[in-house]
Amino acid sequence: MNCDNTDIVICGGGISGLIMAKSLIHLGLRVTCIEKNKRQNQKFKNNDLRSTALLYPAIDFFKKVGIWKNFVNHAQPLNSLVICNLNPKSGEIDSNCEFLAEDLEIDKLGYNLPNKIIINELQKLMMTTKKFRYLEGDYVEHIKPRSFDVVIKTNKKIQISSKLIIAADGRNSNIREISKIKKIKYDYNQKALVFNIKHEYNHDSKSYEIYKSEGPCTLVPLKTKQFNGYFSSVVLMVDDKNNNDKIFQDKIGLSDFITKRTGNILGSCKVQSEISEFPIISQASLALSSERIILLAESAHVLPPIGAQGLNTSIHDIKNLYQLVEKRLKNNEEIGNFDFVKEYESSRKKQISSRMLSVHLLNKLSISKKETVSDVRKFGLSFLSNNQISKKIAMRFGMFQ
């Protein structure tokens, strides 16, 4: 059987996989990307209402590797994040803390982009990029590490040798399973309802996280092409056994519900889209590497959608791996050997663990229905709002500084 050769094999042609591919090609490497699904099922893409708040460190990295120009015209600026506590008795917001871009002496906290636009633009960019090969409808069945490379064989009997395999194939990673890397998983018994709303008041380029029992409700501003109103994307986290399921399936009932659930902060809200739902879990791989294999993004970690930490943590993985490859190329050192994969693991393991623990604890606090927990949230937000030093420390952690 003939064996094709490339520098890097990336398993997974989603957002993280394609960003990683473009980053490595920016360094002059040849990349083969293997995606199990056909060009990301068109029906799923059109129905994916999720959006991502890309924080400014991610934007800076995108500019460096030459992909920001493909997103900028679709992006909605984020000037601030406002975290609020909704009083369980009055249904009103009783405390908040606004994290402003100017607090960190930057122009924007980041930009919001719908996921379907991110993946569409990445696919259009990569399909015209030299040194990139895309194999769709296929997946790796066998991996054989050797002294100076690693050979894979796919379901379609394609054999490829490379210096390194990067697993970016999601929370149910095939590469992680083949490599026998164990994972731990925590199920919050929550689900996220995702939909778009039109609202009465201008969002002023602010994102809101409004906390109450069952989890936060996040409002992220959307960019529109016409001056036909104000729109935001909603991620509403609820108990998986919530008895309001009938309301969530009815747009009129959900519109009234979300107006109240957000403390009327953007005025009257009207649901404008279908409602998608996703299970909320935390999941972590017990190792981030194996012989000539690196796990990144959701193959390595899955976080609840709080504080824009999910995809931004994945982009931080990509940035770290990019910098490691860049350093090795500059010093004419080998990519993918034992020292290389262990250096990546040591650079990311503690950071990922601390971030996952922080998000986990914050989500557990948000789920609690105890009145004392609401009081703690209220006190904490008031404290941060009035203490600039603590506020900046919290912001720097959230912004990966």
Side-chain angles (χ1 to χ4, degrees), residues 206-242:
K206 296 179 181 181
S207 180
Y208 294 90
E209 277 189 8
I210 304 163
Y211 284 82
K212 191 188 173 187
S213 62
E214 294 191 27
C217 177
T218 303
L219 304 173
V220 187
L222 291 175
K223 185 173 184 178
T224 53
K225 294 182 179 179
Q226 298 176 343
F227 296 101
N228 57 350
Y230 309 116
F231 296 84
S232 291
S233 174
V234 179
V235 180
L236 173 64
M237 289 167 63
V238 297
D239 190 315
D240 201 21
K241 298 175 182 176
N242 193 294

Side-chain angles (χ1 to χ4, degrees), residues 383-384 386-396:
F383 173 78
L384 285 174
N386 294 302
N387 189 311
Q388 283 297 313
I389 294 175
S390 298
K391 185 178 174 182
K392 284 185 178 181
I393 291 172
M395 288 187 72
R396 288 193 177 105

Side-chain angles (χ1 to χ4, degrees), residues 35-101:
E35 169 55 46
K36 186 175 182 178
N37 299 312
K38 292 282 187 179
R39 200 66 58 85
Q40 279 227 347
N41 185 284
Q42 194 66 37
K43 184 177 179 181
F44 174 78
K45 279 198 302 184
N46 291 337
N47 290 336
D48 187 359
L49 300 172
R50 292 172 295 177
S51 63
T52 296
L54 296 167
L55 303 177
Y56 91 88
I59 303 301
D60 283 351
F61 180 65
F62 285 1
K63 290 177 180 177
K64 182 175 183 178
V65 299
I67 60 177
W68 179 240
K69 62 182 182 292
N70 296 83
F71 298 146
V72 64
N73 290 333
H74 306 284
Q76 165 62 43
L78 298 174
N79 293 333
S80 70
L81 167 63
V82 187
I83 299 180
C84 309
N85 186 62
L86 192 71
N87 188 292
K89 291 183 177 179
S90 68
E92 296 178 350
I93 292 172
D94 57 15
S95 64
N96 70 79
C97 180
E98 184 170 11
F99 299 91
L100 295 154

Side-chain angles (χ1 to χ4, degrees), residues 50 169-173 176 183 279 281 283 298-299 302-303:
R50 292 172 295 177
D169 51 345
R171 61 185 65 187
N172 299 314
S173 173
R176 186 183 61 228
K183 67 180 187 296
I281 64 166
Q283 182 174 286
E298 286 204 341
S299 68
V302 180
L303 290 80

Side-chain angles (χ1 to χ4, degrees), residues 309-356:
Q309 296 301 293
L311 183 57
N312 284 281
T313 300
S314 299
I315 294 169
H316 212 59
D317 294 344
I318 295 166
K319 182 179 178 181
N320 270 252
L321 185 52
Y322 170 89
Q323 291 172 338
L324 180 56
V325 171
E326 185 179 39
K327 182 181 73 172
R328 289 278 176 138
L329 291 175
K330 185 177 180 181
N331 296 333
N332 199 28
E333 296 173 339
E334 187 180 352
I335 295 169
N337 61 6
F338 178 83
D339 291 341
F340 177 91
V341 297
K342 290 306 173 187
E343 185 175 350
Y344 172 79
E345 176 136 11
S346 63
S347 73
R348 293 298 294 139
K349 191 81 176 194
K350 288 183 180 179
Q351 291 181 19
I352 290 170
S353 297
S354 64
R355 198 159 298 276
M356 290 194 71

Side-chain angles (χ1 to χ4, degrees), residues 119-143:
I119 193 70
N120 281 343
E121 291 300 318
L122 283 170
Q123 286 180 346
K124 285 192 291 185
L125 173 65
M126 296 310 297
M127 297 313 151
T128 58
T129 298
K130 294 180 180 179
K131 297 188 176 183
F132 180 71
R133 183 185 181 195
Y134 189 77
L135 304 176
E136 64 180 359
D138 203 359
Y139 59 92
V140 174
E141 283 193 336
H142 181 73
I143 300 174

Side-chain angles (χ1 to χ4, degrees), residues 119-224:
I119 193 70
N120 281 343
E121 291 300 318
L122 283 170
Q123 286 180 346
K124 285 192 291 185
L125 173 65
M126 296 310 297
M127 297 313 151
T128 58
T129 298
K130 294 180 180 179
K131 297 188 176 183
F132 180 71
R133 183 185 181 195
Y134 189 77
L135 304 176
E136 64 180 359
D138 203 359
Y139 59 92
V140 174
E141 283 193 336
H142 181 73
I143 300 174
K144 184 180 180 181
R146 304 190 297 194
S147 298
F148 298 102
D149 65 2
V150 58
V151 178
I152 63 159
K153 186 164 74 173
T154 74
N155 177 257
K156 292 184 176 180
K157 311 305 178 187
I158 298 171
Q159 195 163 287
I160 306 170
S161 69
S162 66
K163 294 295 184 183
L164 177 69
I165 297 170
I166 298 173
D169 51 345
R171 61 185 65 187
N172 299 314
S173 173
N174 173 50
I175 300 301
R176 186 183 61 228
E177 294 302 313
I178 293 174
S179 305
K180 296 182 179 178
I181 297 174
K182 294 183 179 180
K183 67 180 187 296
I184 54 174
K185 177 180 175 181
Y186 185 90
D187 191 335
Y188 296 96
N189 295 313
Q190 288 174 295
K191 59 185 175 184
L193 303 178
V194 183
F195 50 95
N196 296 335
I197 59 170
K198 182 177 182 179
H199 41 84
E200 185 179 359
Y201 306 143
N202 193 340
H203 51 56
D204 291 324
S205 299
K206 296 179 181 181
S207 180
Y208 294 90
E209 277 189 8
I210 304 163
Y211 284 82
K212 191 188 173 187
S213 62
E214 294 191 27
C217 177
T218 303
L219 304 173
V220 187
L222 291 175
K223 185 173 184 178
T224 53

